[in-house]
Amino acid sequence: LADDLASRGAAVVTMVYRTSDSGEYFPVPVEDVACGFAYAVDATQGLDVSQAVLGGHSSGANMAALVALGPDDFAGSECPYESAAPDAFVGISGPYDITEAVPPVAEAFFGPDRTDPSTWDEGNPTAYADQRPEVPALLVHGTADDMVPITFTEDFTAALTDGGHEVSTDYPEGADHFSVLDPDVAGPIIASWLGLS
């Protein structure tokens, strides 16, 4: 997908982040995404880049939404790059309301010692839906996704719209949680939204 978008004229940077597999929990993974985005903005200085867009898939969509809506909250002190605020957000098949996700998802994100949902708002994109209303969003979710129910995207769309965001949605017919990332599926959707060739 990154190669496809690059071939259409986007400057694309991919990133990884630390997870519970390495013993890291919220907010560390989100701070990694924020730092990765800051690096991307820094790395594209001198290029003709009209907007800096942050996107993600699945849990990555959750974290990208947090950074897009609350960038100042996740500018970690360890990041060597100047913090940057996304101009737009693309989310693909994300569990945007962490309180509605299956328990193992929340545990992997917040850690085994933070099990009270009332303490999760700072890591819940839905709680940020009314922040930075100038940031437009594209939300994509396959109709055959049996890992993250499509209602997550539908509900997040409503929350962002209520928060003043311009939201575009696309629900590729028959795409599941992973095939939605196929460049033939997501590529044209994202490219069209970004105004790429």
Side-chain angles (χ1 to χ4, degrees):
L1 180 56
D3 288 341
D4 178 80
L5 293 173
S7 73
R8 297 172 186 267
V12 183
V13 178
T14 60
M15 66 181 78
V16 295
Y17 48 83
R18 289 169 286 178
T19 68
S20 59
D21 289 342
S22 58
E24 300 290 353
Y25 300 102
F26 179 86
V28 171
V30 188
E31 291 174 349
D32 286 351
V33 171
C35 189
F37 182 75
Y39 163 78
V41 170
D42 183 75
T44 54
Q45 295 296 323
L47 298 179
D48 182 17
V49 177
S50 61
Q51 58 181 337
V53 181
L54 179 60
H57 168 254
S58 196
S59 60
N62 177 295
M63 290 184 276
L66 288 169
V67 174
L69 298 173
D72 294 338
D73 296 337
F74 300 104
S77 59
E78 297 178 5
C79 185
Y81 305 99
E82 184 177 348
S83 64
D87 297 315
F89 163 67
V90 176
I92 304 175
S93 306
Y96 303 108
D97 186 347
I98 200 74
T99 64
E100 297 295 324
V102 292
V105 172
E107 181 175 322
F109 191 48
F110 290 108
D113 298 327
R114 192 169 175 181
T115 58
D116 181 359
S118 69
T119 68
W120 295 348
D121 273 358
E122 63 184 327
N124 193 354
T126 302
Y128 287 76
D130 62 351
Q131 295 192 33
R132 302 194 72 221
E134 72 277 11
V135 175
L138 169 64
L139 302 181
V140 181
H141 208 122
T143 62
D145 192 330
D146 59 2
M147 291 186 66
V148 176
I150 203 168
T151 53
F152 279 96
T153 290
E154 293 170 339
D155 292 346
F156 195 44
T157 297
L160 287 173
T161 301
D162 288 346
H165 295 267
E166 180 182 327
V167 185
S168 300
T169 57
D170 201 300
Y171 300 96
E173 188 66 36
D176 63 25
H177 193 65
F178 296 104
S179 66
V180 71
L181 284 175
D182 189 290
D184 292 332
V185 177
I189 296 169
I190 298 171
S192 175
W193 188 70
L194 293 176
L196 300 174
S197 58

